[in-house]
Amino acid sequence: MDYSIKITGEAGQGIQTIGETLARVFGRMGHYIFSHQDYESRIRGGHNFYQIRISERPVMSPREKVDIIVALDKEGVTRHRSELDPKGMIIYDSASIKATFEGPSFLDIPFAELAVAHGGDKIMSNVVATGAVLGMLGMEIGPLLRLIKETFVKKGEDIVAKNEKACRAGYDFAKKGCLSCSFSVTGSGGPKMVISGVEAIALGAIASGVRFYAAYPMTPSTGIMNYLASKEAQYGIIVEQAEDEIAAINMAIGASFAGVRSMTATSGGGFCLMVEGLSLAAMTETPVVIGLGQRPGPATGLPTRTEQGELLFSIFAGHGEFPRIVFAPGTPEQAFYLTNKAFDLSEKYQIPAIILFDQFLADSQYTYSGWDGSKLRYTDYRFRGEGAAGIDRYKRHALTETGISPLALPGNSRRLVITDSDEHDEEGHIIEDAETRVRMVEKRLHRKTALLKDEIEPPILYGDHRPEVVIAGWGSTFGVMKEAVDLLSRERSIAMLHFSELWPFPDKVRLDYTDILKIAKATICIENNATGQFARLMRSETGYQFTGHIHKFDGRPFTIERLKGEIDAHIGKL
């Protein structure tokens, strides 16, 4: 069982409401889901869709073929009809879209009429449509009714009852009317959580003890701010919407200097404004975590689409030379743990850490049975109160063998804490001499970088350990690459190398990934950008050059069919 359901329509028609409701219901019923969205940069109008994949096994990528299309506008039919599986169905409301379609693959369901008749208001059309999908799939309606009650209970029993009636009306109509439906939903375990990439990053921050978050809203990073704001009271977090990204990063740096774990997040355009602050954090050795959500550029580009165009930007942005961490999770699970690791290493080494994600990962939802909390790191590396009492003379930027200086809090003890954005001596006072400059660069850059390399995990190797074909990638391509390996391994020896800890670039001590690449007949680097930024980074850091490249930069993610086809084309040239 592996079905894809696409809800289509204009912005403002409740597409996301239907999609997220179905995703939560499927998760509660124990099924695996993967969902992703495609939407235009406008509040109302345009053409958008929300696509859910439901299966009895873990799924992590979108498919091109769709089994059920819920068309809330006429364009949903005309644009996506070609994607329909031969046994698939399109449901629509002819009265609402003012068009009628004939054929065995169409089912006209009067969403609005049923909403008014059973719920008393046309606004409940989306509830009718949600119930109709469950009816078509032959699934029980109970979990959806319970979710409706949870959602509307604060609005009173009357509202709950009306929504339940509207839901049942859609469910019954589809179940009776879809005589040709042959869907069979099988396989389920215990309830599973449904989580998106941005929610996982926010949860990772909470698990890491974040206490201050400042940001200016910018797609696709805004979801982090929204989630943390919803948990302010519960976890004692201050969330500040700054006037711009310059203020946001400086607020985060100030909060960190004052002694709390802090974070900011933005997209590429906002990160441009943050770069001076990034270098300020490096010079003053102030820990800060930055979320960088990628979308197509330059400038505002395609604001609501996806791309992997800022890998090199995140690694090399900033004036001067200084160490940083760049992590690029490929799943919400990785996002959760890597955000936690970013907070830990940022404070341990007193450096900026960047969580690099994209719109695809940000908005996509996955199901998980749960995560292991014992894997989380939390060490308070700061000297609090008189914790630095054992140090004869406290120096904020003391020269040490590791390059890591004691980090005390201003105003928290008798110790005087001084730092400066100009080059400074051990105590934090401005200097001009060459000798101190050299010693400070050695301390900040070389000594810390040497230790940081030991903290970086090697890429994940999935598939044959002595493969003929290797596909490699980073960040959000994890799921589609993994499924491609599963499909192609039936015919040939193939493996995937996925990199999520990108800077410092992983060494080859724990896994000599270049040896794996060298023994393969074909090595293909897969990226959602036009220039192959990771392939260039790989060549720069290791000297290895891939034999082939697959680039996608139209603002849309890879589908499993598209990627498998392109890999097959490359392999066919051998």
Side-chain angles (χ1 to χ4, degrees), residues 474-490:
W474 60 281
S476 66
T477 56
F478 177 90
V480 71
M481 287 170 57
K482 183 175 181 292
E483 289 202 43
V485 168
D486 289 337
L487 289 173
L488 291 165
S489 62
R490 301 169 188 170

Side-chain angles (χ1 to χ4, degrees), residues 283 423 431 433-442 444:
M283 175 57 92
E423 188 59 275
I431 60 93
D433 66 283
E435 293 79 8
T436 303
R437 165 65 178 177
V438 171
R439 287 197 296 269
M440 283 295 164
V441 172
E442 288 284 347
R444 282 193 307 266

Side-chain angles (χ1 to χ4, degrees), residues 400-507:
T400 64
E401 288 186 11
T402 61
I404 303 170
S405 306
L407 180 58
L409 312 186
N412 192 239
S413 72
R414 291 173 294 171
R415 304 286 176 179
L416 182 61
V417 179
I418 303 170
T419 192
D420 202 284
S421 62
D422 281 51
E423 188 59 275
H424 41 251
D425 60 18
E426 291 182 84
E427 291 185 341
H429 298 294
I430 297 172
I431 60 93
E432 293 286 351
D433 66 283
E435 293 79 8
T436 303
R437 165 65 178 177
V438 171
R439 287 197 296 269
M440 283 295 164
V441 172
E442 288 284 347
K443 163 195 148 50
R444 282 193 307 266
L445 180 60
H446 297 306
R447 294 180 191 176
K448 287 184 181 180
T449 298
L451 295 176
L452 269 173
K453 283 184 174 292
D454 293 333
E455 305 273 10
I456 302 300
E457 291 294 323
I460 293 171
L461 173 62
Y462 178 78
D464 198 319
H465 281 221
R466 293 189 64 82
E468 292 182 340
V469 178
V470 177
I471 59 174
W474 60 281
S476 66
T477 56
F478 177 90
V480 71
M481 287 170 57
K482 183 175 181 292
E483 289 202 43
V485 168
D486 289 337
L487 289 173
L488 291 165
S489 62
R490 301 169 188 170
E491 306 164 3
R492 62 183 72 252
S493 169
I494 187 170
M496 168 187 82
L497 282 171
H498 180 267
F499 292 74
S500 59
E501 302 190 23
L502 294 170
W503 198 261
F505 202 75
D507 60 32

Side-chain angles (χ1 to χ4, degrees), residues 311-312 315-316 449 453 499 502-508 513-514 533-545:
L311 172 59
L312 300 181
I315 291 173
F316 300 116
T449 298
K453 283 184 174 292
F499 292 74
L502 294 170
W503 198 261
F505 202 75
D507 60 32
K508 296 176 283 185
Y513 48 87
T514 55
Q533 294 187 25
F534 179 78
R536 291 161 62 190
L537 185 64
M538 170 72 84
R539 185 177 182 183
S540 171
E541 294 298 312
T542 69
Y544 182 80
Q545 186 168 357

Side-chain angles (χ1 to χ4, degrees), residues 196-199 201-202 213 218-225 263-268 290-295 305-311 314 326-331 335 339 354-363 474-476 502:
S196 68
V198 286
E199 289 172 336
I201 292 171
Y213 183 92
M218 194 171 190
T219 304
S221 66
T222 309
I224 301 172
M225 180 167 64
M263 182 180 182
T264 184
T266 185
S267 184
I290 304 165
L292 173 51
Q294 302 167 100
R295 66 191 203 188
R305 310 296 183 180
T306 196
E307 197 163 279
Q308 292 183 313
E310 287 149 25
L311 172 59
S314 67
V326 179
F327 293 154
T331 65
T339 300
I354 297 170
I355 307 296
L356 190 61
F357 61 101
D358 54 29
Q359 183 272 336
F360 177 60
L361 178 67
D363 288 342
W474 60 281
S476 66
L502 294 170

Side-chain angles (χ1 to χ4, degrees), residues 348-407:
K348 181 178 180 180
Y349 291 96
Q350 302 169 25
I351 58 174
I354 297 170
I355 307 296
L356 190 61
F357 61 101
D358 54 29
Q359 183 272 336
F360 177 60
L361 178 67
D363 288 342
S364 294
Q365 292 180 310
Y366 303 64
T367 40
Y368 293 96
S369 298
W371 296 331
D372 185 358
S374 67
K375 294 181 180 179
L376 293 171
R377 307 172 173 206
Y378 187 87
T379 302
D380 188 355
Y381 297 99
R382 301 172 188 260
F383 290 107
R384 300 185 183 274
E386 298 301 329
I391 301 173
D392 292 337
R393 182 182 175 188
Y394 176 76
K395 299 177 181 179
R396 171 62 192 96
H397 299 285
L399 296 169
T400 64
E401 288 186 11
T402 61
I404 303 170
S405 306
L407 180 58

Side-chain angles (χ1 to χ4, degrees), residues 78-270:
T78 57
R79 182 181 291 200
H80 300 288
R81 185 175 182 175
S82 61
E83 302 167 12
L84 195 67
D85 185 87
K87 296 182 179 179
M89 293 292 297
I90 299 175
I91 60 173
Y92 71 106
D93 182 349
S94 60
S96 295
I97 69 173
K98 297 178 174 56
T100 302
F101 299 91
E102 302 293 340
S105 59
F106 291 96
L107 179 60
D108 186 357
I109 302 179
F111 299 139
E113 182 183 321
L114 291 173
V116 172
H118 297 272
D121 197 322
K122 184 180 177 181
I123 199 172
M124 296 179 193
S125 297
N126 291 339
V127 179
V128 175
T130 307
V133 173
L134 256 63
M136 294 175 70
L137 293 172
M139 300 174 72
E140 59 177 299
I141 195 174
L144 176 55
L145 296 177
R146 287 192 288 274
L147 181 58
I148 287 173
K149 186 172 184 177
E150 290 174 20
T151 304
F152 295 106
V153 67
K154 291 183 179 179
K155 295 187 176 183
E157 288 298 321
D158 182 55
I159 297 296
V160 170
K162 287 179 177 179
N163 276 277
E164 287 178 341
K165 288 178 182 177
C167 178
R168 285 187 181 278
Y171 180 85
D172 292 339
F173 191 99
K175 199 164 187 179
K176 294 173 184 176
C178 194
L179 300 177
S180 60
C181 285
S182 58
F183 305 112
S184 177
V185 179
T186 58
S188 64
K192 296 176 177 62
M193 68 172 175
V194 177
I195 190 168
S196 68
V198 286
E199 289 172 336
I201 292 171
L203 275 176
I206 292 171
S208 304
V210 69
R211 289 294 176 268
F212 182 82
Y213 183 92
Y216 183 81
M218 194 171 190
T219 304
S221 66
T222 309
I224 301 172
M225 180 167 64
N226 292 342
Y227 190 90
L228 291 176
S230 73
K231 306 295 181 183
E232 275 186 293
Q234 187 176 355
Y235 294 102
I237 305 168
I238 294 175
V239 176
E240 179 69 20
Q241 180 174 319
E243 63 266 32
D244 55 37
E245 290 83 359
I246 298 172
I249 192 168
N250 285 326
M251 286 178 181
I253 291 169
S256 180
F257 180 72
V260 297
R261 291 194 168 185
S262 64
M263 182 180 182
T264 184
T266 185
S267 184

